[in-house]
Amino acid sequence: MTNEDQFQLATYKKMPIAAERGGGVWIYTSNGENYLDLYGGHAVAGTGHCHPHVVEAIQKQAGELLFYSNLVYSSARARAAEKLVSIAPDALTKTFFCNSGTEANENAMRMARMATGREKIITFSGGFHGRTADAISATFLGKYRDLGRPNVPGHLEAEFGNVESVRALADDSVAAIMLEPIQSMAGVRMAAPEFYRSLRELCDERRIVLIYDEVQTGVGRTGQWFFAGSDAGDGVVPDVVTLAKSLGSGVPVGACLVTDAIASHIKENDLGTTFGGGMLAMAAVTATLEAIENDRMLENVRRVEEYLRRRLREVEQIVAVHGLGFLLGIEFKENAALVHKRLLERKIITGTSSNPTVLRLLPPLCLEEVHVDMLIASI
Ligand SMILES: Cc1ncc(COP(=O)(O)O)c(C=O)c1O
């Protein structure tokens, strides 16, 4: 730990543990301790740590071909793209692979500008979209946007959950409305289903591209493959969905899923990245989606979420539980940072949020009732 602090920039607030190995919902430290990981390695370990099917696929691919760019065809890339499109809502028919969430959002905004010939982007207070120039300029949360100064021009801020605030900004210079359908970092804030429906209608009426940033909510986290198309969002399907985090179970990968209409505007060399769609990441994507399917993790999320919510109701200090599936914000009467610290002392990893009273849970999708019991006992 000392060496890392000595040789790395001090830009992360670290927990005082050194993760050496992982398995399922567990992290094993260099001191031989076990931690129950309810933060899922920062929402990345959707299939759990080191899922055997994913590990095997990565090992096999590493022995065959680590990487070749998009300038050649690849069966690993073809399989990943087909699998990803097959689980997406029907209207999302094509994918573009990149390497991270922020990059997926940059490309989504760029596609919206190409498709509409307009420049402005509406996003929401409380949303987080990444740290590259355009994405951080779209992030109206705390200090983040200022970290990206001078910001990319043409970003407008609306109020999450308030469609009138969007309508007031949505003139014919607006290319896209982009949102985290559940605002995770802001303290796991969700809007009413009608909000998503109204945004869809507004976008259709004014020929604006609707982008869901599903970097956190995608790939099964809410108990459905995506928030797009789910009942919680009144079945609304956006024009673009962005993904990253758990898509590769820890191998860096991001993606944009788009409709035919968006795809028809994208020509050769309009978008590109060296590493996007590399074979190792593609093997990880296919295996991740297969593991979620084979282990029936979506059903598991829905069942265990219900149990978790029931057990959390027993805890007097809890005011409310926000979110959906395994993206939950537990609102305490007191400071959540203290709860986070105390749970860590009891060897349970959770997350905080920008709301000081909300503790975030983003566990692997394989979390079981017995682990919930451990959390409740410790709380
Ligand atoms: C909703 C959302 N969008 C985008 C990002 C940026 O992703 P990345 O860190 O992979 O660039 C994050 C990261 O936390 C996120 O939570």
Side-chain angles (χ1 to χ4, degrees):
M1 269 191 281
T2 318
N3 276 352
E4 194 173 323
D5 284 344
Q6 191 177 345
F7 298 115
Q8 270 215 315
L9 289 180
T11 184
Y12 298 104
K13 182 168 163 41
K14 288 179 189 288
M15 292 180 264
I17 55 175
E20 294 295 326
R21 288 184 303 113
V25 297
W26 296 99
I27 280 292
Y28 306 102
T29 70
S30 54
N31 297 340
E33 296 170 321
N34 311 346
Y35 280 77
L36 178 62
D37 185 10
L38 302 184
Y39 196 51
H42 215 123
V44 167
T47 55
H49 294 286
C50 300
H51 191 290
H53 182 64
V54 179
V55 170
E56 193 190 333
I58 293 170
Q59 284 174 336
K60 183 165 175 291
Q61 185 61 51
E64 288 171 2
L65 184 61
L66 278 174
F67 181 79
Y68 208 101
S69 77
N70 286 282
L71 296 190
V72 301
Y73 286 98
S74 146
S75 57
R77 190 183 303 122
R79 274 195 300 276
E82 184 178 10
K83 184 76 192 161
L84 186 56
V85 168
S86 79
I87 57 160
D90 288 349
L92 301 170
T93 54
K94 288 212 167 16
T95 183
F96 172 76
F97 287 113
C98 52
N99 310 287
S100 65
T102 196
E103 207 188 325
N105 289 333
E106 296 269 332
N107 283 290
M109 290 187 279
R110 197 167 295 174
M111 281 192 266
R113 294 185 181 112
M114 287 169 178
T116 59
R118 307 170 182 173
E119 289 192 353
K120 290 186 186 159
I121 308 281
I122 299 176
T123 51
F124 294 86
S125 35
F128 182 86
H129 301 293
R131 290 176 185 255
T132 47
D134 213 4
I136 207 165
S137 301
T139 292
F140 293 97
L141 174 70
K143 68 171 187 176
Y144 291 106
R145 192 163 193 276
D146 281 348
L147 293 174
R149 280 160 85 171
N151 292 122
V152 172
H155 283 278
L156 308 173
E157 178 182 13
E159 190 188 328
F160 188 64
N162 175 354
V163 75
E164 289 315 316
S165 76
V166 190
R167 205 182 295 280
L169 299 171
D171 63 20
D172 61 9
S173 64
V174 171
I177 296 172
M178 180 165 77
L179 62 151
E180 277 185 273
I182 303 176
Q183 292 190 330
S184 179
M185 198 114 96
V188 192
R189 296 168 68 205
M190 234 168 118
E194 309 84 71
F195 174 65
Y196 307 98
R197 175 59 55 194
S198 305
L199 287 183
R200 179 69 275 179
E201 286 168 2
L202 185 63
C203 286
D204 290 343
E205 182 190 310
R206 304 195 184 173
R207 295 183 30 252
I208 294 171
V209 175
L210 184 60
I211 304 170
Y212 278 6
D213 174 345
E214 295 220 43
V215 167
Q216 292 218 12
T217 56
V219 200
R221 181 146 300 283
T222 63
Q224 308 289 336
W225 279 115
F226 304 101
F227 189 90
S230 71
D231 288 349
D234 199 22
V236 163
V237 178
D239 305 293
V240 183
V241 165
T242 63
L243 303 169
K245 295 280 193 199
S246 60
L247 182 58
S249 293
V251 178
V253 57
C256 299
L257 277 165
V258 308
T259 59
D260 279 343
I262 298 290
S264 70
H265 292 277
I266 309 303
K267 303 179 303 300
E268 193 175 301
N269 213 20
D270 278 351
L271 309 174
T273 152
T274 297
F275 287 117
M279 285 74 187
L280 195 69
M282 295 298 98
V285 168
T286 306
T288 294
L289 302 178
E290 286 171 350
I292 292 172
E293 229 163 38
N294 296 345
D295 295 359
R296 305 177 69 84
M297 289 192 208
L298 302 183
E299 290 92 325
N300 184 68
V301 170
R302 296 196 291 266
R303 192 189 72 247
V304 178
E305 177 200 2
E306 218 179 286
Y307 183 71
L308 180 52
R309 283 179 179 275
R310 182 148 36 90
R311 294 291 330 263
L312 287 170
R313 279 199 286 273
E314 295 167 16
V315 184
E316 200 200 315
Q317 293 86 345
I318 293 174
V319 177
V321 179
H322 307 282
L324 189 63
F326 281 177
L327 172 51
L328 294 178
I330 307 177
E331 188 175 341
F332 285 86
K333 286 179 190 161
E334 62 195 290
N335 193 326
L338 192 66
V339 183
H340 173 265
K341 185 165 175 282
R342 293 274 182 268
L343 284 172
L344 198 61
E345 285 162 11
R346 289 165 175 75
K347 304 199 169 28
I348 297 181
I349 306 174
T350 56
T352 52
S353 72
S354 68
N355 181 335
T357 57
V358 173
L359 187 78
R360 269 190 307 166
L361 303 186
L362 299 141
L365 311 186
C366 55
L367 186 85
E368 294 173 18
E369 283 87 345
V370 59
H371 308 123
V372 171
D373 293 341
M374 291 175 193
L375 170 69
I376 302 296
S378 293
I379 288 183

